[in-house]
């Protein structure tokens, strides 16, 4: 369907390079607004700092909405320790072992940014032996070693680092010649790029969606309150979010994933059936999955009591909320399904 995969991947990489841990997403939101301006799409900011855009469709009597979220996993400085290191509290659901040894950036209120590394409080096997190997990787056993000349809390405070400062992790993004892309935070910056890939398809083909289309770029999805403003005339809502490629999830990195149920709710049967039929009619490779510990902006919305059909589709990634990976084929299949259905 003439999906511009290079545009999607380039934009994905650019978005991944912009730190946006949940609660600190203004820079990522600004980049989204810049891209919307390029396409001449009208939009507005919500009071929570998200973006709601609108594209006129052929059918003005039916209204759909899609969403993708700019916020990622991250952390906040919980305490400046006496030894000059930082204790963190995490934002979003990830295991501390998944970020052990990762380089981080500490974002201060003044705008200064400092580099550091997340380590266990007893990291060296030369010093601590088996204790270093066996120490539980839990919040109170992890700390940031700041790459500055700091030995005590007062040294850190002089840098302007305070409790409440946001911390982002290095993404380690790699695009491979065989079509794989791996990075932290493909969830959900890849999906934002896919939404723009869909918008570029509309622009390149001088076409409209089948019906009026709202597009919501949310900024608090990872902690459960991403989309909180819905047009009153909305008929259906599709969250564009990652699927899961794992032994019990039935996802496939080379196919689009249509989610049947997550940990919050089954998805709307009628809408899921339409998505499956659209994929089959267009010969788009897909999987259907039931996800155990998972939620999307769509099921969050339903639990708030909103009344519309709801679904969730996206590219399946391996090792979600860790060092994630997917494939160009699944990226294209997702956009193809957006084109076929929307």
């Amino acid at each position: 369907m003439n999906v511009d995969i290079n545009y999607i991947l380039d934009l994905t990489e650019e978005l991944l390079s912009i730190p946006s841990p949940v609660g600190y997403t203004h820079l990522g939101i600004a980049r989204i607004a810049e891209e919307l301006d390029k396409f001449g799409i009208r939009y507005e900011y919500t009071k929570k700092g998200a973006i709601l855009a609108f594209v006129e469709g052929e059918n003005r009597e039916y209204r759909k909405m899609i969403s993708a979220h700019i916020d990622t996993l991250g952390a906040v400085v919980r305490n400046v320790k006496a030894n000059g290191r930082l204790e963190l509290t995490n934002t979003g659901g990830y295991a501390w072992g998944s970020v052990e040894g990762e380089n981080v950036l500490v974002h201060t209120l003044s705008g200064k940014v400092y580099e550091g590394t997340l380590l266990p409080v007893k990291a060296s096997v030369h010093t601590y032996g088996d204790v270093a190997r066996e120490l539980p990787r839990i919040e109170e056993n992890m700390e940031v070693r700041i790459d500055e000349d700091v030995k005590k809390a007062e040294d850190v405070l002089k840098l302007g680092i305070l409790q409440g400062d946001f911390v982002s992790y290095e993404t380690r993004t790699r695009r491979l010649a065989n079509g794989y892309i791996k990075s932290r935070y493909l969830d959900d910056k890849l999906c934002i790029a896919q939404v723009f890939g869909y918008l570029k398809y509309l622009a390149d083909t001088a076409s409209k969606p089948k019906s009026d289309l709202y597009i919501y770029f949310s900024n608090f999805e990872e902690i459960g309150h991403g989309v909180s403003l819905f047009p009153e005339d909305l008929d259906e809502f599709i969250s564009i979010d990652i699927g899961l490629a794992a032994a019990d999830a039935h996802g496939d990195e080379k196919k689009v994933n249509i989610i049947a149920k997550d940990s919050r709710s089954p998805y709307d049967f009628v809408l899921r059936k339409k998505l499956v039929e659209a994929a089959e009619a267009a010969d788009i490779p897909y999987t259907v999955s039931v996800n155990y510990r998972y939620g999307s902006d769509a099921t969050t919305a339903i639990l708030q009591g909103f009344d519309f059909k709801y679904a969730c589709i996206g590219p399946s990634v391996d090792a979600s909320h860790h060092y994630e990976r997917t494939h160009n084929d699944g990226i294209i299949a997702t956009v193809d399904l957006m084109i076929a259905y929307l």
Side-chain angles (χ1 to χ4, degrees):
M1 297 186 187
N2 298 318
V3 172
D4 191 340
I5 184 64
N6 290 322
Y7 167 76
I8 294 171
L9 293 175
D10 288 346
L11 183 57
T12 298
E13 272 201 274
E14 185 178 354
L15 292 171
L16 288 167
S17 72
I18 302 171
S20 57
V22 58
Y24 186 85
T25 57
H26 56 289
L27 299 175
I29 286 290
R31 181 62 187 88
I32 290 171
E34 179 184 321
E35 202 68 11
L36 288 169
D37 288 337
K38 291 179 182 179
F39 287 101
I41 294 173
R42 78 175 199 252
Y43 60 91
E44 62 185 44
Y45 292 97
T46 71
K47 293 179 181 178
K48 285 172 60 176
I51 287 179
L52 179 62
F54 178 77
V55 181
E56 183 179 302
E58 296 173 355
N59 179 0
R60 305 302 314 280
E61 303 302 317
Y62 195 84
R63 302 285 171 85
K64 301 177 183 179
M65 186 168 83
I66 58 175
S67 77
H69 65 92
I70 188 64
D71 59 299
T72 70
L73 307 174
V76 169
V77 176
R78 179 179 179 180
N79 183 38
V80 179
K81 300 171 70 171
N83 63 358
R85 301 200 173 190
L86 304 178
E87 182 181 355
L88 303 183
T89 180
N90 71 324
T91 53
Y94 60 91
W96 286 104
S98 72
V99 287
E100 177 180 345
E102 192 58 88
N103 292 319
V104 306
L105 296 177
V106 182
H107 307 271
T108 68
L109 279 176
S110 68
K112 290 183 178 179
V113 178
Y114 295 96
E115 188 167 331
T117 307
L118 184 73
L119 298 168
V121 294
K122 294 183 178 180
S124 171
V125 293
H126 286 138
T127 304
Y128 300 107
D130 286 342
V131 173
R133 296 186 177 94
E134 298 168 3
L135 186 73
R137 270 49 176 178
I138 56 177
E139 185 172 294
E140 53 264 40
N141 289 341
M142 308 300 289
E143 64 185 9
V144 171
R145 178 188 65 198
I146 306 168
D147 296 327
E148 299 289 336
D149 188 14
V150 292
K151 304 298 182 185
K152 55 186 183 296
E154 289 78 5
D155 298 331
V156 178
L157 296 174
K158 288 178 182 177
L159 295 176
I161 296 175
L162 302 169
Q163 286 176 299
D165 285 343
F166 285 95
V167 175
S168 62
Y169 297 104
E170 186 173 323
T171 63
R172 292 191 288 128
T173 305
R174 302 286 187 275
R175 284 163 60 176
L176 307 183
N178 60 5
Y180 283 102
I181 177 172
K182 54 184 180 178
S183 178
R184 297 192 188 281
Y185 314 141
L186 294 178
D187 175 15
D188 197 36
K189 293 185 175 182
L190 169 59
C191 293
I192 289 178
Q194 287 175 307
V195 169
F196 278 107
Y198 168 69
L199 293 175
K200 188 174 187 298
Y201 170 85
L202 294 180
D204 290 345
T205 58
S207 55
K208 288 184 176 182
K210 297 174 185 177
S211 63
D212 281 355
L213 181 67
Y214 294 100
I215 306 172
Y216 200 112
F217 297 98
S218 67
N219 55 345
F220 284 96
E221 192 275 345
E222 291 293 359
I223 53 176
H225 59 96
V227 181
S228 53
L229 174 67
F230 293 94
E232 292 182 1
D233 56 358
L234 190 62
D235 294 293
E236 63 183 56
F237 172 34
I238 302 174
S239 180
I240 312 298
D241 210 334
I242 62 163
L244 308 178
D248 297 326
H250 305 291
D252 187 319
E253 292 170 90
K254 295 188 175 184
K255 300 177 182 180
V256 60
N257 185 248
I258 303 169
I259 301 177
K261 178 187 180 297
D262 64 24
S263 57
R264 294 167 176 156
S265 170
Y267 287 83
D268 183 88
F269 172 78
V270 173
L271 183 49
R272 173 163 63 90
K273 187 171 186 290
K274 288 180 178 178
L275 289 164
V276 168
E277 289 171 346
E280 292 181 346
D283 198 26
I284 298 167
Y286 74 93
T287 60
V288 175
S289 70
V290 173
N291 295 341
Y292 171 52
R293 297 181 66 88
Y294 182 100
S296 73
D297 275 331
T299 44
T300 297
I302 291 303
L303 292 179
Q304 294 177 61
F306 290 102
D307 183 27
F308 39 67
K309 293 179 174 62
Y310 57 103
C312 184
I313 67 170
S316 289
V317 307
D318 184 75
S320 61
H321 279 201
H322 203 292
Y323 188 42
E324 299 167 342
R325 189 190 72 172
T326 193
H327 193 275
N328 291 353
D329 290 354
I331 297 171
I332 293 171
T334 301
V335 182
D336 280 345
L337 182 55
M338 293 168 66
I339 294 168
Y341 180 71
L342 296 178

